[in-house]
Amino acid sequence: MDARTVVEPAPHIQVESLTVVYEKPKAAGTLIAVSNVNLDIARGTFVTIVGPSGCGKSSLLLSIAGLVKPASGCVRVNGKPVSAPGRDRAVVFQDFALMPWRTVIDNVRFGLELQRPRGLTGGDLTERACRYVELVGLKGFEHYHPHQLSGGMRQRVGIARALAVDPEILLLDEPFGSLDAQTRDEMGSELLAIWERNKKTALFVTHGIDEAIFLADQIVVMARDPGRITKIISVDLPRPRTVETTDSKRFIEYRRQIRECL
Amino acid sequence: MFNYRTLVSTITVMAFLAVWEFAPRAGIVDATFTSQPTRVVAAGFEIIRTAGFLHDVSVSLSEFALGFTLAIAVGVPLGLVLGRFPVLRYVLDPPIMAIYATPHLALLPIIVVWLGIGMQSKIAVAFVSGVIPILVNAMAGVRGVDGSWIVAARSFSAREWDVFVKVILPASLPSVILGIRLGLSRAVLGVVVAEMYQSQAGVGNEIMRYGSEFRTDYLLFDVLLVSLFGLTATSAVRALEERLWTAGE
Ligand SMILES: Nc1ncnc2c1ncn2[C@@H]1O[C@H](COP(=O)(O)OP(=O)(O)OP(=O)(O)O)[C@@H](O)[C@H]1O
Ligand SMILES: [Mg+2]
């Protein structure tokens, strides 16, 4: 037996010839959003997806989440085919999707209430929600409602809500899309810090090339019509990453590479 | 700002009462037809002491309470379910809209034929009057629920029941309460008018009787009583509504 196959762990997420098709609204026919995509993601890695608008990034992410049904092909997590959302995955949405009638702490508690980890009482859930509110730096804002928070703070609530259910896989759909450049950078660094501590597998959709490089172990570059993967780049930059990382020669080289395929 | 508003309202009311009181005294109008605030108050004291008054009030209140509770019990769940399941809505939308468009007080004669002149017919009118705005608003509330909240719930493996309890219900609550407020004043009107049409007791019955006896003061006191009740109940619901809106903005 070849020694290499023995040490190589099975991928955490396997996407096998995935095709996602939507009905065209108010028109006959269908639209192929994702066409025959193959992708393996190793446990504990941070993978970013970049590509032009409409190339099927969200569709790919939501298929992995189990929120969109593939037309053909399949997604496997830990070797098992995905047919619905599960406790092993949590999504951070681009538009936050916070409940306006719930306070910060209750929003973070939302996923916990739905999943109700075995043996935990209501008090335990609140306590756990409280910990995650603190983790994302919102201590003191527990009883605010979403409309009383800034965009960056809202997105932290979204991230805390996903982290609180302690998923193995974190699926983030342009989570910093609506933030200004500076807040974006800060949140990116914080997200990395949290990820490094918890060692989750992260899949992160973004429009920002620099952001994609800064966060990633692997960058998936996609193209549209039909939505497909054009290149997968392994990022070999030391961690923890800092502002200086973005000035390094290698970083600039990665940036050039991605620009080329977009 | 608030004080200014209160001041203006108070002055307006006082001015109205003053004109009402002094116009008959100055001989501009006939008090037999217009009555006067002091007379209405005096009539109030008389009415409260009459034998039938408490009975009439309790009959009207029971009719309203029963009919309106029934309207809430049917309208809210039905509206929520119709809002959630389009197929049911397609089936029931035409009849609901037909009832919505019908001046249901015009159905009074039929209702009386069916249910008699006792309390049942008034309960039915309160129900029919109240249930439609409640149902329509609950339905609109559900349809206005942001789809992204439902997707978020699904992403945490929520089942249909969880989605209903944790998203649909709280998200449409302000709309539901609005419907209850609108239904409330209609139900009050329904009970009074139904009693005025054909009845043996109730505040509407008194109003009709005082009207035929030309006792304007007595009649106006009863009308005042009804509008005071409607106003208080409506304000209570509105206060609840405002608290929900500010919490859920
Ligand atoms: N629910 C849907 N119904 C119909 N078509 C859809 C639906 N969701 C996405 N699409 C279509 O699928 C294609 C891919 O959409 P998707 O949201 O996956 O792109 P994206 O790469 O995430 O774009 P963006 O960067 O703008 O978010 C688009 O052409 C879009 O119009
Ligand atoms: Mg997208």
Side-chain angles (χ1 to χ4, degrees):
Chain A
M1 203 194 277
D2 181 6
R4 214 183 121 261
T5 49
V6 177
V7 289
E8 183 135 309
H12 197 182
I13 305 170
Q14 290 165 283
V15 178
E16 292 169 3
S17 40
L18 178 81
T19 300
V20 175
V21 174
Y22 294 110
E23 302 271 332
K24 279 186 183 158
K26 299 201 176 169
T30 52
L31 181 139
I32 301 173
V34 177
S35 166
N36 199 28
V37 160
N38 289 286
L39 179 65
D40 283 355
I41 297 172
R43 185 175 291 275
T45 50
F46 202 118
V47 175
T48 55
I49 305 178
V50 284
S53 189
C55 71
K57 304 183 293 293
S58 299
S59 304
L60 172 60
L61 194 90
L62 294 177
S63 314
I64 296 173
L67 289 166
V68 165
K69 288 253 175 309
S72 68
C74 83
V75 174
R76 287 173 197 279
V77 172
N78 291 321
K80 280 193 219 100
V82 159
S83 59
R87 286 160 188 265
D88 47 5
R89 287 153 284 147
V91 185
V92 178
F93 295 92
Q94 172 169 20
D95 59 356
F96 317 133
L98 302 179
M99 318 292 147
W101 59 90
R102 285 180 173 243
T103 58
V104 166
I105 182 109
D106 286 341
N107 264 294
V108 174
R109 209 171 171 275
F110 183 69
L112 285 169
E113 284 172 27
L114 288 169
Q115 297 197 350
R116 253 201 188 273
R118 224 165 276 146
L120 292 190
T121 63
D124 295 337
L125 300 187
T126 308
E127 204 178 290
R128 190 146 145 196
C130 216
R131 271 213 314 280
Y132 282 93
V133 169
E134 245 170 79
L135 181 75
V136 297
L138 286 178
K139 194 171 167 54
F141 293 94
E142 287 88 347
H143 302 295
Y144 280 57
H145 280 95
H147 74 279
Q148 297 163 315
L149 302 176
S150 72
M153 290 160 96
R154 279 180 217 179
Q155 196 48 280
R156 281 164 207 261
V157 178
I159 293 171
R161 179 176 68 184
L163 287 172
V165 295
D166 196 22
E168 293 174 17
I169 298 169
L170 210 48
L171 302 165
L172 306 105
D173 192 0
E174 290 187 50
F176 308 149
S178 54
L179 307 183
D180 63 274
Q182 200 188 333
T183 317
R184 240 179 132 113
D185 291 350
E186 276 170 27
M187 298 267 302
S189 298
E190 279 175 39
L191 181 66
L192 272 190
I194 293 171
W195 168 76
E196 268 160 27
R197 247 179 291 151
N198 296 277
K199 273 303 165 197
K200 307 209 176 283
T201 304
L203 194 56
F204 185 107
V205 172
T206 175
H207 271 122
I209 296 177
D210 281 13
E211 191 172 66
I213 306 168
F214 183 79
L215 296 169
D217 293 315
Q218 265 189 338
I219 305 167
V220 174
V221 185
M222 292 183 71
R224 54 177 302 169
D225 299 316
R228 61 192 190 276
I229 295 177
T230 48
K231 189 159 192 177
I232 298 179
I233 302 169
S234 286
V235 179
D236 187 15
L237 292 168
R239 291 186 191 270
R241 295 180 184 162
T242 58
V243 197
E244 283 78 55
T245 314
T246 54
D247 298 328
S248 69
K249 255 209 194 98
R250 257 203 223 137
F251 193 97
I252 292 162
E253 170 58 21
Y254 286 129
R255 188 190 285 156
R256 195 192 54 73
Q257 266 186 48
I258 296 171
R259 286 245 172 84
E260 233 164 46
C261 357
L262 282 181
Chain B
M1 182 63 214
F2 177 73
N3 284 329
Y4 177 68
R5 209 172 110 187
T6 319
L7 188 73
V8 172
S9 314
T10 314
I11 290 175
T12 314
V13 172
M14 299 299 273
F16 171 73
L17 289 176
V19 171
W20 188 12
E21 179 67 37
F22 291 107
R25 285 176 198 246
I28 303 170
V29 291
D30 185 351
T32 320
F33 299 115
T34 65
S35 187
Q36 282 169 312
T38 45
R39 287 197 191 197
V40 172
V41 171
F45 282 110
E46 298 282 313
I47 290 179
I48 289 170
R49 266 187 262 128
T50 58
F53 177 72
L54 274 183
H55 176 65
D56 283 328
V57 169
S58 75
V59 164
S60 293
L61 274 181
S62 326
E63 288 163 349
F64 165 77
L66 276 169
F68 193 58
T69 307
L70 215 61
I72 294 175
V74 171
V76 174
L78 190 60
L80 293 177
V81 169
L82 288 187
R84 186 76 186 124
F85 302 108
V87 183
L88 282 176
R89 195 163 62 237
Y90 302 150
V91 174
L92 289 178
D93 214 30
I96 289 171
M97 284 308 135
I99 298 173
Y100 195 30
T102 308
H104 42 258
L105 288 178
L107 297 176
L108 260 175
I110 310 179
I111 293 177
V112 169
V113 168
W114 285 350
L115 298 171
I117 60 168
M119 284 175 73
Q120 287 96 323
S121 54
K122 282 79 203 174
I123 295 169
V125 172
F127 169 76
V128 173
S129 313
V131 76
I132 295 295
I134 293 175
L135 191 148
V136 169
N137 277 283
M139 201 158 86
V142 176
R143 298 183 69 185
V145 172
D146 194 329
S148 71
W149 298 332
I150 297 172
V151 175
R154 287 255 157 77
S155 79
F156 293 107
S157 322
R159 285 152 302 183
E160 183 63 31
W161 176 247
D162 296 321
V163 170
F164 204 84
V165 172
K166 300 232 182 252
V167 180
I168 307 286
L169 206 59
S172 47
L173 200 56
S175 238
V176 168
I177 306 278
L178 170 70
I180 290 177
R181 177 160 65 82
L182 297 175
L184 189 142
S185 36
R186 284 189 176 219
V188 170
L189 180 75
V191 165
V192 174
V193 172
E195 283 173 348
M196 288 171 69
Y197 173 65
Q198 290 265 295
S199 67
Q200 293 157 319
V203 177
N205 182 281
E206 278 190 14
I207 290 174
M208 213 50 195
R209 201 173 64 235
Y210 294 141
S212 63
E213 291 167 3
F214 258 118
R215 294 159 86 178
T216 322
D217 319 335
Y218 285 63
L219 183 150
L220 282 176
F221 176 77
D222 275 355
V223 171
L224 206 69
L225 206 64
V226 172
S227 60
L228 216 61
F229 172 75
L231 199 70
T232 313
T234 307
S235 317
V237 179
R238 192 196 288 274
L240 185 71
E241 208 177 318
E242 257 160 30
R243 273 183 53 186
L244 284 174
W245 277 118
T246 43
E249 209 140 293

